[in-house]
Amino acid sequence: MDTAENPWKILESSLQYDNRWIRVTEHQVLNPAGNPGIYGVVHFKNLAIGVVALDDDGHIWLVGQYRFPLEQFSWEIPEGGGPHDEPPLRSAQRELLEETGLKAREWTEIVHMHLSNSVSDERGIVYLARGLEQFAPEPEETEQLHLLRIPFGTAYQMVKNHEITDSLSIAAIQKIRLMMLEGEL
């Protein structure tokens, strides 16, 4: 089998929902076995952007906020959406400043990922930000944020203890830990 070949056949597509952030399309399909079915796809209109802000003392910043879809509070790395027509680094710099008030001199791209590829096309990019300087945060009106500066090891333990459950944050923190173990940091 050619692994690049799409085994799904779309018979018909219909738009179910559309707003500034997402579009939901339902597809009438023939599945890989040739049987009829449906497949709903959530298209994200922005790129997911995350930032691990790591200072010279080995501390990182987490942002806490109530997440409406989960109906619970969540600790995460600074993150948000970046327009597809904007360079991802510019989006990362804006999100870091908005949520934490930090600006960084050094930026390294560390993670590329698909966030929920069974139902959406959402892609994420995470940056490591170093050489930090503090300014005033500029949160959006939809954000009621809590900031936490903690040792990186504590954040890693929060991932291990399921206290951080956000996928972008987990991937980023584990990637930083791997980079530390491999002597890259």
Side-chain angles (χ1 to χ4, degrees):
M1 176 177 171
D2 180 0
T3 58
E5 184 181 316
N6 181 355
W8 293 83
K9 181 171 219 70
I10 297 174
L11 304 173
E12 186 179 322
S13 299
S14 61
L15 180 64
Q16 300 295 309
Y17 180 78
D18 192 24
N19 68 25
R20 287 182 46 202
W21 304 278
I22 63 169
R23 178 177 63 235
V24 179
T25 305
E26 183 177 279
H27 302 281
Q28 300 300 318
V29 298
L30 292 179
N31 67 25
N35 297 317
I38 62 170
Y39 212 112
V41 176
V42 180
H43 166 71
F44 281 80
K45 296 182 180 179
N46 287 297
L47 184 64
I49 298 291
V51 181
V52 176
L54 182 64
D55 69 19
D56 293 337
D57 296 327
H59 289 74
I60 72 168
W61 275 257
L62 295 179
V63 176
Q65 62 185 306
Y66 186 86
R67 287 297 191 177
F68 185 87
L70 302 177
E71 298 181 2
Q72 68 184 47
F73 188 84
S74 176
W75 284 110
E76 306 161 3
I77 62 172
E79 57 187 50
H84 288 289
D85 62 352
E86 179 177 82
L89 178 56
R90 185 175 305 146
S91 297
Q93 292 166 333
R94 181 186 61 251
E95 285 298 329
L96 182 63
L97 181 62
E98 280 179 10
E99 295 190 357
T100 67
L102 294 169
K103 290 185 181 181
R105 288 187 306 277
E106 302 168 35
W107 291 86
T108 306
E109 216 172 277
I110 61 167
V111 173
H112 280 248
M113 63 187 286
H114 292 102
L115 297 174
S116 186
N117 64 6
S118 65
V119 295
S120 83
D121 64 358
E122 188 176 25
R123 292 184 313 113
I125 297 177
V126 179
Y127 291 88
L128 169 62
R130 306 287 312 263
L132 305 174
E133 190 175 352
Q134 186 70 59
F135 296 87
E138 303 170 2
E140 296 176 1
E141 69 176 19
T142 60
E143 298 174 320
Q144 185 179 42
L145 306 176
H146 303 270
L147 294 178
L148 184 62
R149 177 184 174 265
I150 57 174
F152 176 80
T154 302
Y156 182 71
Q157 286 302 314
M158 289 174 74
V159 169
K160 287 177 62 175
N161 295 337
H162 313 289
E163 297 169 61
I164 294 176
T165 58
D166 171 68
S167 62
L168 210 56
S169 299
I170 291 170
I173 290 168
Q174 289 182 342
K175 177 65 181 267
I176 294 296
R177 175 75 171 137
L178 182 61
M179 292 171 73
M180 289 174 171
L181 290 172
E182 293 184 354
E184 297 175 29
L185 284 179

